[in-house]
Every structure is written in structure tokens, then in C-alpha cells.
Amino acid sequence: MSNKNIIPIFVPHLGCPHDCVFCNQNKIAGLKDISVENERKTIQEYLSYFKNKNDIQIAFYGGSFTAIDYSLQNTLLKVAYEYIENGSVKSIRLSTRPDSINEKILNNLKKYGVKTIELGVQSLNEEVLISSGRGHNVQCVYDSSKLIKDFGFELGLQQMIGLPRDTEERAIETAKKFVEIGPNIVRIYPTLVVEDTYLEKLYKSGKYKPLTLEEAVDLSAKLLKIYNRNNINVIRIGLQPTEEINYNGSIVAGPFHPAFRQLVENKIIIDKILKTLENKKIRNLEIFSNNKNISTIAGQNKSGSKKLYKDLKLKSLKFVDNKSNDIIFFDRDSLEKINLLDW
Ligand code: SF4
């Protein structure tokens, strides 16, 4: 995860001429009035909260930033750039569509100190892109990613799973193609059915079936392993819970969980532990690691501990915080120690 302090500025649906089947930007980003006054107010507020003033980034989220009118882009960027010039903010990031990138746009973003550009790609399968109403093709993603990298920006790619006509195989193919493109960061979002979207209609008429939570966690775990193996930093898995993105918000259906990433990491580590210990016949197990790893292994509502008890037929399981990143298993009966590296 990034250690940056992020100042989020939401740019809801402004200028986006598209209607992706899953998107209702007004609901996702919140109906915030985007104005220079609000931008300034948000930046000032966040600057006063941050204790660590060293690595602060302004992030334009939601919508498609570079599809907005140049004059509004520049108005928003100018305000952000003032804070870079006075040294209180280090960099700017923004998210946009792959077909809203060209040399003129990138030259403009350079001028204002933008460091990171994230592309909402969602899938690198043509059929999925068409069924999701994205309005751009796969080649466009390759071209814009190359241009962004050639200009020296950091590249982020966002992948969605569970879109119409997506399959596990297609999602894994997309992740492999992302690796070939070589982004600096990736985000993985399971598709949720949000109110007032075309996807809601498809869902209600029985033409779309979202992934279950279990399917989304399993698939995300497979994708995370691909990115981890290739040293690509996955900075988010699952949408951030907000008033709208929540059980009582605008979500109609789909694999929402407020701590989705922890479910995915728990799945990866429990599978790895079971594989490592499967033939060891350990009955009284102690696990030594730091608190973070321990809570990931134990899982929410102790789901990880329960699975270890059940699948390994344990009589006892004890966690010991030894402040270490390593994960060491200690078999109380045989006094054997096993170190699990690279989980
Ligand atoms: S391009 Fe982005 S903002 Fe526009 S409809 Fe699609 S997801 Fe929403």
C-alpha cells in the first residue's frame, strides 16, 4: 500500500460522454459541487489533518478528468499546482479514460506537475468492453498506456471483475496483459450493481448475475498473486466504503464487503498455510508473527482460525506476536519450526 497522504478531489461524471453499464458517477463519487472554492477548502482541510507533511498528493478521482473541458481542467489543476509550488503538496494524480489521452493532453498535464495517471481500463477483452458500454477498444488501452509511459508519467491501471460477459479466464488474461504493459500500480474492483444504472436493469430482468462474495474473493486472490509475483503494486482491492457504497447505500447487489482486501489476503495466506502443513499432522499449532499478519491469518470473525482448526484437525491454535514479518509455525508436539516465506 502507498504511504502517501492523499487529498481526494471528486470530479463526478463531468464531461464524460459515456454511460458504462455499471456507472452512476453521481452515486459513486457523491454529488459534490466542483468549484475552485470547494477544491481549495478540501485541500486546506486535509493539509491541516495530516501529521506527516512529507508525501502529500492531490488526487482527482471519479469521472474522466482529461475528458473535461480544457478550461475547467486547467482551472482545477492551477489551484492544485499552487500547493506544489508553495511546497505543501508533492504531486498530483488523476484518473481518466483510455480514449481521453493524447499528446496535447499529456503536455498540458506535465505543465501542472501531474505525476500519476490512472486509466479505468476494466478489461482487456473486446467482448467485455462492448457489453459494458465502455466505448473504447483494447488497442486504445495499449496506445494510451504507451504514451503515458513515454511521457514519463507513473501509470495506473484499474481492472474490474464480474462485468457482463467476463469470466475467470478473461479476468486472468487481462491481468497477464496488464503485467505485459507494465503499470506502476493496479486497482482491482469487483463489479457492484448500483442504483440507477443500466446494470441494475439487466440484473432486475435476470440478464446479469453478479459474482458472489466468495467468487469475487477467490478470483481477486488469483489476480493479486499474479500482480505480486510480477512486483506490481496493487494499491486497492474493492471499492472504498462510503455513505453511498455501503449496505444501506446505493448498492443493489454484488460482492460488496467493507474489508474486501482483508478477505482476499486471508484467502491467499490460509491456502498457503494449508498447503505447507497438509502432510505434517500437526495437532497443537503455534503461529509466530507480527500483529498485522496474525489478524490477516485469523481473519474476520476468526474465519481463518476456524478453517485451520477444521482442515488441519487441530486441537489447539495459538498466535504469538513476535513483531516479525516472518511467519513461523511451531508444532508443540514435535517441537518442529517451519518458516513460511513469500506468502
Ligand atoms: S467512462 Fe468512467 S465516468 Fe464515464 S460512464 Fe464510464 S465509468 Fe462512468
Side-chain angles (χ1 to χ4, degrees), residues 22-63:
F22 53 84
C23 175
N24 179 339
Q25 277 295 317
N26 290 337
K27 294 273 187 208
I28 300 283
L31 265 175
K32 297 224 175 61
D33 190 14
I34 183 79
S35 67
V36 166
E37 292 71 42
N38 278 346
E39 183 185 1
R40 230 181 261 288
K41 196 166 147 234
T42 307
I43 296 173
Q44 299 285 13
E45 266 173 25
Y46 273 84
L47 285 176
S48 67
Y49 303 148
F50 294 143
K51 289 202 180 76
N52 173 5
K53 310 275 185 200
N54 285 334
D55 200 357
I56 298 177
Q57 188 169 54
I58 294 175
F60 292 102
Y61 286 137

Side-chain angles (χ1 to χ4, degrees), residues 115-129:
K115 183 177 177 200
T116 311
I117 300 175
E118 291 189 46
L119 295 179
V121 173
Q122 323 316 1
S123 173
L124 285 176
N125 179 278
E126 299 288 6
E127 223 177 287
V128 176
L129 291 179

Side-chain angles (χ1 to χ4, degrees), residues 6 13 44 61 89 109 114 141 144 174 222 227 279 289 304 329:
I6 303 275
H13 210 54
Q44 299 285 13
Y61 286 137
V89 166
L109 299 180
V114 172
V141 177
S144 52
T174 291
K222 287 178 183 150
Y227 293 124
N279 298 317
S289 194
F329 304 107

Side-chain angles (χ1 to χ4, degrees), residues 123 125-133 163-166 170:
S123 173
N125 179 278
E126 299 288 6
E127 223 177 287
V128 176
L129 291 179
I130 291 168
S131 310
S132 306
L163 283 169
R165 311 213 44 95
D166 198 16
R170 289 175 169 185

Side-chain angles (χ1 to χ4, degrees), residues 43 51 128 141 143 157 190 216 230 248-249 262 266 285 314 330:
I43 296 173
K51 289 202 180 76
V128 176
V141 177
D143 295 343
L157 298 178
N230 289 282
N248 302 320
Q262 205 192 4
N266 173 263
L285 177 66
L314 296 179
F330 182 62

